């Protein structure tokens, strides 16, 4: 796994640990779902349900693949070595990417405006400055919008263990050199 991907893994663990208790568990995904849907007020019920289902699938996939001792929680030690395995998590990541990017386009025009993008990403737990940097890296148009397809692909890339120098790396605060 590339160093950049390893930093993304550490960040993802802290985001998935939505209640901050040091482990990832089912309740964390319920909390994250609630926070994201609170921002997605203009989205229709189909889009909201898709996000709910994608995060539920993500949790069930994590639990099945990573909860080595079957205690209903995933420790960082269980999480680190396997979470970016495309064979295990590719379908869950794809479903999540499609659902989250669709929430960013409630009017269905194929474009996501910066304010909603910021709100959704901050609801997940990303730092505001990093979210702005990511949006800028996606190359917004003159009206400060990106395409749904761009965000969807960016989410999928974020979970790829062999990629570096991707826009999503801007979400990881790197130590000062």
């Amino acid at each position: 796994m590339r160093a950049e991907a390893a930093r993304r893994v550490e960040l993802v663990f802290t985001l998935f640990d939505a209640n901050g208790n040091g482990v990832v568990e089912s309740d964390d995904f319920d909390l994250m779902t609630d926070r994201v849907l609170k921002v997605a007020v203009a989205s229709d019920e189909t889009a909201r349900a898709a996000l709910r289902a994608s995060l539920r699938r993500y949790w069930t996939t994590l639990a099945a693949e990573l909860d080595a001792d079957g205690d209903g929680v995933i420790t960082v030690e269980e999480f680190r070595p396997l979470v970016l395995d495309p064979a295990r998590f590719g379908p869950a990541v794809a479903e999540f990417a499609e659902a989250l990017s669709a929430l960013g386009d409630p009017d269905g025009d194929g474009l996501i405006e910066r304010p909603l993008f910021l709100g959704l990403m901050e609801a997940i737990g990303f730092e505001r400055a990093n979210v702005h940097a990511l949006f800028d890296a996606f190359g917004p148009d003159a009206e400060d919008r990106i395409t749904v397809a761009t965000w969807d692909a960016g989410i999928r890339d974020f979970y790829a263990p062999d990629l570096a120098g991707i826009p999503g790396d801007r979400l990881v605060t790197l130590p000062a050199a």
Side-chain angles (χ1 to χ4, degrees):
M1 179 183 314
R2 298 184 65 107
E4 296 87 343
R7 286 191 291 269
R8 293 192 304 263
V9 166
E10 297 300 319
L11 175 60
V12 169
F13 185 85
T14 64
L15 298 173
F16 283 174
D17 179 17
N19 65 13
N21 69 350
V23 295
V24 176
E25 55 201 333
S26 179
D27 289 348
D28 289 315
F29 283 80
D30 295 336
L31 180 58
M32 183 183 293
T33 299
D34 292 345
R35 289 190 321 215
V36 171
L37 292 180
K38 189 174 182 179
V39 173
V41 295
S43 295
D44 64 25
E45 190 49 41
T46 300
R48 296 167 67 81
L51 181 81
R52 260 189 229 97
S54 75
L55 285 171
R56 180 58 31 212
R57 177 180 184 182
Y58 216 130
W59 165 249
T60 58
T61 302
L62 285 172
E65 296 288 336
L66 302 182
D67 186 9
D69 58 7
D71 64 355
V73 299
I74 299 168
T75 65
V76 70
E77 291 79 16
E78 291 171 316
F79 189 82
R80 277 185 190 127
L82 301 172
V83 73
L84 294 186
D85 182 343
R88 294 178 180 196
F89 296 101
V93 168
E95 184 178 344
F96 172 68
E98 184 177 328
L100 183 60
S101 59
L103 274 184
D105 182 25
D107 61 7
D109 66 356
L111 299 168
I112 300 167
E113 290 79 21
R114 185 183 298 258
L116 183 53
F117 181 88
L118 290 172
L120 293 169
M121 293 293 282
E122 287 179 304
I124 291 170
F126 291 103
E127 296 291 328
R128 185 172 191 79
N130 296 17
V131 175
H132 274 293
L134 173 62
F135 194 85
D136 291 340
F138 282 150
D141 67 14
E143 293 165 22
D144 210 23
R145 304 171 303 185
I146 61 170
T147 67
V148 170
T150 296
W151 193 14
D152 182 302
I155 295 168
R156 293 169 196 246
D157 287 351
F158 188 77
Y159 289 92
D162 56 340
L163 295 180
I166 61 170
D169 285 335
R170 285 152 182 89
L171 293 172
V172 180
T173 303
L174 300 175

